[in-house]
Amino acid sequence: MLTLDTNSDILAEIKPQELQLTTLDLAQFGITVDGLYFYKNNDSVEEFMSLDLLRRSFLQLVADHYPMIVGRPTVNSQGQAVMAIDPANLCMPDIAEVHIAHPADTFMTTRPANDASSDGNPVKFFDVRRFYRDSGVSRLPRATYHKDHSAAIIRVLRFKDNEYVALAYSFSHVLFDGSGMMTFMNHWAEYARHLHSTGTVDCQLAELPVNSRAAMQQYFDSVEPVDPPFIRHFRENVPPLPMEFPAQIAPVLITSPDSPTCEEQHLMHFTPANLERMRQDIDGKQTVNMVLMSLCAQAMVRANTLAYATPPHISYIMVAYDGRLRADMPSGFTGNISCTTIAPLPTATVSGSSYKDLAQTIKEHTSKVGSEYTKAVIHTIENNLEVLYRASFTLCNSPQASYFGLTALRYMPFRTIDFGFGSPEILSFDYFIMEGMSRMYPNYQDGGIDLVFNYPDANFEHLKRDADLIKYADIIY
C-alpha cells in the first residue's frame, strides 16, 4: 500500500482560517459519505488512473477551493463550531493504492442481458461481501476525526488483470452531503482531466463551488419552522431517553463516536422494463420511487412478521431529500442541506392497503416538504436534541417496528466523474451505516436501477422469497 508522502507541499498554499459549521453539519459527526466506482481499462493502458494523477489533482483542488477538507473541527472562543485550518497542523488526506491479487471479475456477479436497453453484454454487479471474504482486504478504512485519522480517504484498487480500476472514497459527512459530494467529485475529475491533458494543475473550474455556510445560515434565519408529524411522533410517542443533554450542542456533537457500519448488506436489481411494469401495475401516475417504497415497505412487514413470529406495531418509511431543490440556495452549495422526512404508519395501514393507496400515503407524508421542514429539523437539533436521539434508537427492524429508509441517488451526476479515462461503468458502495437504510443508484449497463440496502440476513431470507417483490426485483446477493 502506498501512502501519501509526496506532493503535500501543494497544501502549503492554504492560509490559516476558521470556517463556520452549521447545525446540519454538526449533526453529521460520526457519519461518512462514500462511494466505490469501477472504471474499465478498455485500452489496457499501463498507467490507467495513475495514483500520481489522482493525488496531485486532489491536493491542488483542496488547496484551491476546498480547504475545509484539511481542517480540524473545534469550538472557538466565541462558542461557535468551526473548522480550524492551521497549515502547521492539517488533517491530511489519506490517499493510497491497494493491489488485489485477483481479477476484478472474481468479485462480480453477472446476469445475462435480457433488456432492450442493454448493449448485449452481461450485466455485472460488485459483491462487496464476497470482496471482503476472498480478496485478502479486511476492510477499507473510513473517514474519521477520531484518533487523528483523516476526514478524507481515497483508495485506488488495482486488480490482477488491470481490466478494472476501482476508486473507493470515504469523507466525513460533516464536509458534504450527497449532492455536495457529487460536486466535489466532479470538480476533482475536472482537475484530473486538465492535468492528464496538459500536464499542469492550473485548472479553472467551469463552475465554482459554494463552500461558505453563511448563505445557508442567512437563508434559514428568515424561515419559520413547522411542527412535522414525524418529529411530533417521536416527541409524543417514544419514551424519553434516560440521559441529560446540555444546552450547548456543539461540544456534544463534535465528540460523537463513529457510527458502526452494517455488514448485512444486500443488493437488488430492477431492469428498465421491470421498473416500468412495476409502476404501471401499481400506479402509472406515481413516480418509480413512490411505488418502489410501497412495494418494499409491505414486503418488509411480511418478512419481519415471519422472522419475528409477530407483526410489528408500527412501520417507519424514511426518505432523504435535497434541500437545495426546496430552498433559495445556489446549486453549487457543498455543505449539508439535505434532510429526511419520515412516515410513521400503523402496520395495519401498510399491510392492509393496496400498493397504490400506500404509495399515495407515503407521498403525502414525504413529498410535501420544503424549507420549513428543514428549519424544523434544525430547530429540533438546536433546542430538543434528545428527540432526534430517540428517533435514531427507534428506527430499525425489530419485533416492534419495521423500517425502510431510502436515499435516491438515481439522478446524481456519476457519469461525469471522468478522470480522463472515461465514465465509471459499475457503481457500488462499501458497507454504510444504519440497518434498514437503502441507496438507489443507476445501473449504466442496462439503464435500470440497483438498490443496495442493509437488512438482517435472517429477515432477508424471507424477503428474497416474497412473491410480489421478486416479480420485479432480481436478487443479486
Side-chain angles (χ1 to χ4, degrees), residues 63-132:
D64 291 347
H65 298 291
Y66 290 92
M68 184 177 280
I69 288 176
V70 292
R72 296 183 184 275
T74 188
V75 178
N76 66 16
S77 57
Q78 288 77 46
Q80 299 169 323
V82 297
M83 195 68 77
I85 300 162
D86 176 1
N89 186 30
L90 296 178
C91 184
M92 294 295 289
D94 180 357
I95 306 174
E97 282 184 337
V98 179
H99 291 271
I100 312 297
H102 307 276
D105 278 347
T106 305
F107 314 107
M108 299 288 182
T109 295
T110 62
R111 292 290 188 268
N114 56 7
D115 198 281
S117 59
S118 73
D119 59 8
N121 293 319
V123 182
K124 295 182 178 182
F125 305 89
F126 177 67
D127 187 333
V128 67
R129 299 179 74 158
R130 189 189 306 168
F131 175 75
Y132 283 128

Side-chain angles (χ1 to χ4, degrees), residues 172-411:
S172 169
H173 208 324
V174 176
L175 302 169
F176 308 111
D177 62 11
S179 293
M181 187 75 249
M182 285 293 98
T183 298
F184 174 82
M185 292 298 293
N186 275 280
H187 283 161
W188 180 18
E190 194 173 341
Y191 261 61
R193 290 195 302 272
H194 181 83
L195 176 58
H196 183 61
S197 61
T198 69
T200 67
V201 289
D202 59 342
C203 179
Q204 302 297 313
L205 292 175
E207 184 177 348
L208 295 177
V210 180
N211 294 315
S212 171
R213 273 43 172 183
M216 176 183 167
Q217 196 74 40
Q218 292 167 7
Y219 173 79
F220 279 104
D221 282 347
S222 64
V223 175
E224 287 296 321
V226 294
D227 189 19
F230 73 94
I231 292 180
R232 193 162 60 248
H233 167 82
F234 291 113
R235 188 175 64 238
E236 297 176 356
N237 297 290
V238 176
L241 298 173
M243 60 181 72
E244 294 285 335
F245 285 82
Q248 294 295 322
I249 64 168
V252 175
L253 293 175
I254 279 181
T255 57
S256 297
D258 293 333
S259 299
T261 57
C262 178
E263 298 186 8
E264 294 183 296
Q265 188 181 98
H266 305 277
L267 177 63
M268 296 188 294
H269 176 63
F270 297 79
T271 67
N274 278 347
L275 277 179
E276 184 57 21
R277 185 162 64 91
M278 176 184 69
R279 193 173 70 87
Q280 294 297 336
D281 287 350
I282 293 175
D283 186 355
K285 296 180 180 179
Q286 287 278 19
T287 65
V288 163
N289 288 9
M290 291 300 163
V291 298
L292 180 62
M293 284 189 288
S294 172
L295 179 66
C296 289
Q298 271 203 22
M300 289 175 74
V301 166
R302 291 191 289 268
N304 286 350
T305 300
L306 292 170
Y308 301 122
T310 183
H313 302 301
I314 191 165
S315 294
Y316 294 107
I317 302 164
M318 188 280 285
V319 182
Y321 66 90
D322 186 351
R324 293 166 187 76
L325 305 178
R326 310 178 191 209
D328 186 17
M329 291 289 298
S331 60
F333 178 72
T334 60
N336 285 285
I337 191 173
S338 296
C339 230
T340 61
T341 183
I342 301 168
L345 303 176
T347 295
T349 299
V350 175
S351 57
S353 299
S354 67
Y355 289 121
K356 178 178 180 179
D357 289 346
L358 179 57
Q360 182 61 35
T361 299
I362 296 170
K363 179 180 179 180
E364 290 170 359
H365 276 81
T366 61
S367 65
K368 298 177 182 178
V369 295
S371 297
E372 68 279 3
Y373 267 65
T374 306
K375 181 60 178 284
V377 174
I378 294 171
H379 186 266
T380 303
I381 295 170
E382 293 174 345
N383 298 283
N384 204 352
L385 183 61
E386 188 264 347
V387 169
L388 293 190
Y389 275 75
R390 288 189 219 178
S392 67
F393 286 117
T394 304
L395 296 174
C396 63
N397 289 283
S398 70
Q400 291 75 40
S402 182
Y403 173 56
F404 178 69
L406 176 66
T407 300
L409 307 173
R410 187 181 182 187
Y411 298 110

